Amino acid sequence: MLIGRLAHRGRLLAVTATAECLLLLGALAVAVPAAEPFGTAPRDLIAVLAAVALGLQNATARALAVPDATTTVLTMTVTGIAADLRARNGRVLFRRLLAVLAMLVGGLAGALLVLHASPAAALAVAAALVGLVAAGGWLASRTPAGWHTTGH
């Protein structure tokens, strides 16, 4: 798979964020013309596109080995907070608390958009944010730096 073969961290982020953004834009293209509440076909297609996009995101976070940033291990992060409290590791505890807070704020913002605007608005914001990450990844991958190598 591409994620395992790309050794340049910035390029890996750029490529996968671009793919994720395209998938979210595809989901948005399905959501905008569909009547709410979504019928079975649009709902399922949106779910598949978003699931693949989030799977790419999770695989990339794992490949980049970003501490406490994998989206599927929130429970592990919360467990780590308890361990860090006992070990009195303030720096790691702060990083983990920020990771949990970021996930909470993102989930709350998405829910508020869906409830008070529309599911399409939430998808549009998500696609825009991932697009910004992709642009940052492409910019960061243009010049060599020590953090670029994933160690594969």
Side-chain angles (χ1 to χ4, degrees), residues 91-109:
R91 199 174 117 240
V92 174
L93 175 63
F94 181 69
R95 184 186 69 222
R96 287 189 175 156
L97 286 171
L98 283 179
V100 171
L101 182 64
M103 288 183 226
L104 178 66
V105 169
L108 180 62

PDB file of all heavy atoms in Angstrom, residues 91-109:
ATOM      1  N   ARG A  91       4.422  16.758  30.738  1.00  0.00           N
ATOM      2  CA  ARG A  91       4.468  17.099  29.319  1.00  0.00           C
ATOM      3  C   ARG A  91       3.603  16.157  28.485  1.00  0.00           C
ATOM      4  O   ARG A  91       2.815  16.594  27.652  1.00  0.00           O
ATOM      5  CB  ARG A  91       5.915  17.065  28.835  1.00  0.00           C
ATOM      6  CG  ARG A  91       6.104  17.831  27.550  1.00  0.00           C
ATOM      7  CD  ARG A  91       7.577  17.918  27.157  1.00  0.00           C
ATOM      8  NE  ARG A  91       7.691  17.215  25.901  1.00  0.00           N
ATOM      9  CZ  ARG A  91       8.432  16.163  25.660  1.00  0.00           C
ATOM     10  NH1 ARG A  91       9.216  15.696  26.594  1.00  0.00           N
ATOM     11  NH2 ARG A  91       8.452  15.596  24.510  1.00  0.00           N
ATOM     12  N   VAL A  92       3.725  14.863  28.739  1.00  0.00           N
ATOM     13  CA  VAL A  92       2.932  13.880  28.001  1.00  0.00           C
ATOM     14  C   VAL A  92       1.459  14.002  28.390  1.00  0.00           C
ATOM     15  O   VAL A  92       0.574  13.911  27.532  1.00  0.00           O
ATOM     16  CB  VAL A  92       3.467  12.451  28.250  1.00  0.00           C
ATOM     17  CG1 VAL A  92       2.571  11.413  27.616  1.00  0.00           C
ATOM     18  CG2 VAL A  92       4.886  12.327  27.725  1.00  0.00           C
ATOM     19  N   LEU A  93       1.184  14.228  29.654  1.00  0.00           N
ATOM     20  CA  LEU A  93      -0.192  14.405  30.117  1.00  0.00           C
ATOM     21  C   LEU A  93      -0.844  15.584  29.408  1.00  0.00           C
ATOM     22  O   LEU A  93      -1.977  15.478  28.918  1.00  0.00           O
ATOM     23  CB  LEU A  93      -0.212  14.614  31.635  1.00  0.00           C
ATOM     24  CG  LEU A  93      -1.571  14.931  32.250  1.00  0.00           C
ATOM     25  CD1 LEU A  93      -2.527  13.763  32.057  1.00  0.00           C
ATOM     26  CD2 LEU A  93      -1.414  15.255  33.725  1.00  0.00           C
ATOM     27  N   PHE A  94      -0.131  16.696  29.311  1.00  0.00           N
ATOM     28  CA  PHE A  94      -0.665  17.882  28.633  1.00  0.00           C
ATOM     29  C   PHE A  94      -0.963  17.573  27.169  1.00  0.00           C
ATOM     30  O   PHE A  94      -2.025  17.938  26.655  1.00  0.00           O
ATOM     31  CB  PHE A  94       0.322  19.043  28.755  1.00  0.00           C
ATOM     32  CG  PHE A  94      -0.157  20.309  28.118  1.00  0.00           C
ATOM     33  CD1 PHE A  94      -1.220  21.026  28.664  1.00  0.00           C
ATOM     34  CD2 PHE A  94       0.439  20.793  26.962  1.00  0.00           C
ATOM     35  CE1 PHE A  94      -1.674  22.191  28.080  1.00  0.00           C
ATOM     36  CE2 PHE A  94      -0.010  21.957  26.366  1.00  0.00           C
ATOM     37  CZ  PHE A  94      -1.074  22.654  26.928  1.00  0.00           C
ATOM     38  N   ARG A  95      -0.046  16.882  26.483  1.00  0.00           N
ATOM     39  CA  ARG A  95      -0.245  16.531  25.067  1.00  0.00           C
ATOM     40  C   ARG A  95      -1.475  15.648  24.902  1.00  0.00           C
ATOM     41  O   ARG A  95      -2.283  15.841  23.998  1.00  0.00           O
ATOM     42  CB  ARG A  95       0.996  15.830  24.524  1.00  0.00           C
ATOM     43  CG  ARG A  95       0.896  15.522  23.044  1.00  0.00           C
ATOM     44  CD  ARG A  95       2.058  14.700  22.538  1.00  0.00           C
ATOM     45  NE  ARG A  95       1.976  13.356  23.095  1.00  0.00           N
ATOM     46  CZ  ARG A  95       2.998  12.666  23.553  1.00  0.00           C
ATOM     47  NH1 ARG A  95       4.214  13.179  23.547  1.00  0.00           N
ATOM     48  NH2 ARG A  95       2.835  11.455  24.024  1.00  0.00           N
ATOM     49  N   ARG A  96      -1.644  14.674  25.791  1.00  0.00           N
ATOM     50  CA  ARG A  96      -2.800  13.773  25.702  1.00  0.00           C
ATOM     51  C   ARG A  96      -4.096  14.507  25.999  1.00  0.00           C
ATOM     52  O   ARG A  96      -5.118  14.265  25.357  1.00  0.00           O
ATOM     53  CB  ARG A  96      -2.621  12.587  26.635  1.00  0.00           C
ATOM     54  CG  ARG A  96      -1.589  11.627  26.104  1.00  0.00           C
ATOM     55  CD  ARG A  96      -1.532  10.354  26.877  1.00  0.00           C
ATOM     56  NE  ARG A  96      -0.602   9.449  26.213  1.00  0.00           N
ATOM     57  CZ  ARG A  96       0.029   8.480  26.803  1.00  0.00           C
ATOM     58  NH1 ARG A  96      -0.151   8.257  28.090  1.00  0.00           N
ATOM     59  NH2 ARG A  96       0.841   7.707  26.126  1.00  0.00           N
ATOM     60  N   LEU A  97      -4.075  15.401  26.970  1.00  0.00           N
ATOM     61  CA  LEU A  97      -5.274  16.185  27.262  1.00  0.00           C
ATOM     62  C   LEU A  97      -5.651  17.062  26.072  1.00  0.00           C
ATOM     63  O   LEU A  97      -6.836  17.194  25.740  1.00  0.00           O
ATOM     64  CB  LEU A  97      -5.071  17.038  28.513  1.00  0.00           C
ATOM     65  CG  LEU A  97      -5.099  16.288  29.835  1.00  0.00           C
ATOM     66  CD1 LEU A  97      -4.665  17.200  30.982  1.00  0.00           C
ATOM     67  CD2 LEU A  97      -6.476  15.705  30.103  1.00  0.00           C
ATOM     68  N   LEU A  98      -4.657  17.646  25.406  1.00  0.00           N
ATOM     69  CA  LEU A  98      -4.938  18.440  24.214  1.00  0.00           C
ATOM     70  C   LEU A  98      -5.519  17.587  23.097  1.00  0.00           C
ATOM     71  O   LEU A  98      -6.424  18.025  22.381  1.00  0.00           O
ATOM     72  CB  LEU A  98      -3.668  19.148  23.724  1.00  0.00           C
ATOM     73  CG  LEU A  98      -3.234  20.371  24.497  1.00  0.00           C
ATOM     74  CD1 LEU A  98      -1.940  20.946  23.911  1.00  0.00           C
ATOM     75  CD2 LEU A  98      -4.323  21.434  24.488  1.00  0.00           C
ATOM     76  N   ALA A  99      -5.032  16.359  22.933  1.00  0.00           N
ATOM     77  CA  ALA A  99      -5.559  15.451  21.910  1.00  0.00           C
ATOM     78  C   ALA A  99      -7.033  15.142  22.177  1.00  0.00           C
ATOM     79  O   ALA A  99      -7.869  15.196  21.270  1.00  0.00           O
ATOM     80  CB  ALA A  99      -4.734  14.172  21.858  1.00  0.00           C
ATOM     81  N   VAL A 100      -7.363  14.841  23.432  1.00  0.00           N
ATOM     82  CA  VAL A 100      -8.754  14.549  23.789  1.00  0.00           C
ATOM     83  C   VAL A 100      -9.614  15.794  23.604  1.00  0.00           C
ATOM     84  O   VAL A 100     -10.721  15.720  23.055  1.00  0.00           O
ATOM     85  CB  VAL A 100      -8.851  14.016  25.238  1.00  0.00           C
ATOM     86  CG1 VAL A 100     -10.295  13.918  25.704  1.00  0.00           C
ATOM     87  CG2 VAL A 100      -8.157  12.668  25.342  1.00  0.00           C
ATOM     88  N   LEU A 101      -9.126  16.940  24.016  1.00  0.00           N
ATOM     89  CA  LEU A 101      -9.870  18.186  23.862  1.00  0.00           C
ATOM     90  C   LEU A 101     -10.114  18.498  22.385  1.00  0.00           C
ATOM     91  O   LEU A 101     -11.221  18.904  22.006  1.00  0.00           O
ATOM     92  CB  LEU A 101      -9.125  19.344  24.540  1.00  0.00           C
ATOM     93  CG  LEU A 101      -9.820  20.696  24.484  1.00  0.00           C
ATOM     94  CD1 LEU A 101     -11.138  20.649  25.250  1.00  0.00           C
ATOM     95  CD2 LEU A 101      -8.922  21.773  25.065  1.00  0.00           C
ATOM     96  N   ALA A 102      -9.106  18.301  21.545  1.00  0.00           N
ATOM     97  CA  ALA A 102      -9.265  18.555  20.107  1.00  0.00           C
ATOM     98  C   ALA A 102     -10.335  17.649  19.515  1.00  0.00           C
ATOM     99  O   ALA A 102     -11.172  18.097  18.710  1.00  0.00           O
ATOM    100  CB  ALA A 102      -7.933  18.357  19.392  1.00  0.00           C
ATOM    101  N   MET A 103     -10.335  16.371  19.901  1.00  0.00           N
ATOM    102  CA  MET A 103     -11.358  15.448  19.393  1.00  0.00           C
ATOM    103  C   MET A 103     -12.745  15.841  19.884  1.00  0.00           C
ATOM    104  O   MET A 103     -13.727  15.789  19.134  1.00  0.00           O
ATOM    105  CB  MET A 103     -11.027  14.017  19.802  1.00  0.00           C
ATOM    106  CG  MET A 103      -9.841  13.443  19.057  1.00  0.00           C
ATOM    107  SD  MET A 103      -9.558  11.733  19.532  1.00  0.00           S
ATOM    108  CE  MET A 103      -7.788  11.744  19.767  1.00  0.00           C
ATOM    109  N   LEU A 104     -12.841  16.261  21.132  1.00  0.00           N
ATOM    110  CA  LEU A 104     -14.117  16.679  21.700  1.00  0.00           C
ATOM    111  C   LEU A 104     -14.643  17.931  21.001  1.00  0.00           C
ATOM    112  O   LEU A 104     -15.810  17.992  20.608  1.00  0.00           O
ATOM    113  CB  LEU A 104     -13.965  16.931  23.203  1.00  0.00           C
ATOM    114  CG  LEU A 104     -15.207  17.423  23.928  1.00  0.00           C
ATOM    115  CD1 LEU A 104     -16.289  16.356  23.927  1.00  0.00           C
ATOM    116  CD2 LEU A 104     -14.866  17.823  25.352  1.00  0.00           C
ATOM    117  N   VAL A 105     -13.792  18.917  20.820  1.00  0.00           N
ATOM    118  CA  VAL A 105     -14.209  20.161  20.163  1.00  0.00           C
ATOM    119  C   VAL A 105     -14.611  19.891  18.715  1.00  0.00           C
ATOM    120  O   VAL A 105     -15.622  20.417  18.231  1.00  0.00           O
ATOM    121  CB  VAL A 105     -13.093  21.229  20.256  1.00  0.00           C
ATOM    122  CG1 VAL A 105     -13.380  22.417  19.363  1.00  0.00           C
ATOM    123  CG2 VAL A 105     -12.936  21.691  21.701  1.00  0.00           C
ATOM    124  N   GLY A 106     -13.829  19.058  18.021  1.00  0.00           N
ATOM    125  CA  GLY A 106     -14.170  18.726  16.634  1.00  0.00           C
ATOM    126  C   GLY A 106     -15.498  18.004  16.525  1.00  0.00           C
ATOM    127  O   GLY A 106     -16.318  18.316  15.653  1.00  0.00           O
ATOM    128  N   GLY A 107     -15.730  17.042  17.420  1.00  0.00           N
ATOM    129  CA  GLY A 107     -17.003  16.319  17.415  1.00  0.00           C
ATOM    130  C   GLY A 107     -18.178  17.232  17.742  1.00  0.00           C
ATOM    131  O   GLY A 107     -19.233  17.153  17.106  1.00  0.00           O
ATOM    132  N   LEU A 108     -17.990  18.110  18.708  1.00  0.00           N
ATOM    133  CA  LEU A 108     -19.046  19.056  19.086  1.00  0.00           C
ATOM    134  C   LEU A 108     -19.347  20.022  17.943  1.00  0.00           C
ATOM    135  O   LEU A 108     -20.512  20.272  17.618  1.00  0.00           O
ATOM    136  CB  LEU A 108     -18.643  19.825  20.345  1.00  0.00           C
ATOM    137  CG  LEU A 108     -19.647  20.855  20.851  1.00  0.00           C
ATOM    138  CD1 LEU A 108     -20.963  20.186  21.248  1.00  0.00           C
ATOM    139  CD2 LEU A 108     -19.066  21.620  22.036  1.00  0.00           C
ATOM    140  N   ALA A 109     -18.311  20.548  17.310  1.00  0.00           N
ATOM    141  CA  ALA A 109     -18.514  21.478  16.193  1.00  0.00           C
ATOM    142  C   ALA A 109     -19.248  20.784  15.044  1.00  0.00           C
ATOM    143  O   ALA A 109     -20.171  21.355  14.449  1.00  0.00           O
ATOM    144  CB  ALA A 109     -17.174  22.029  15.713  1.00  0.00           C
TER     145      ALA A 109
END
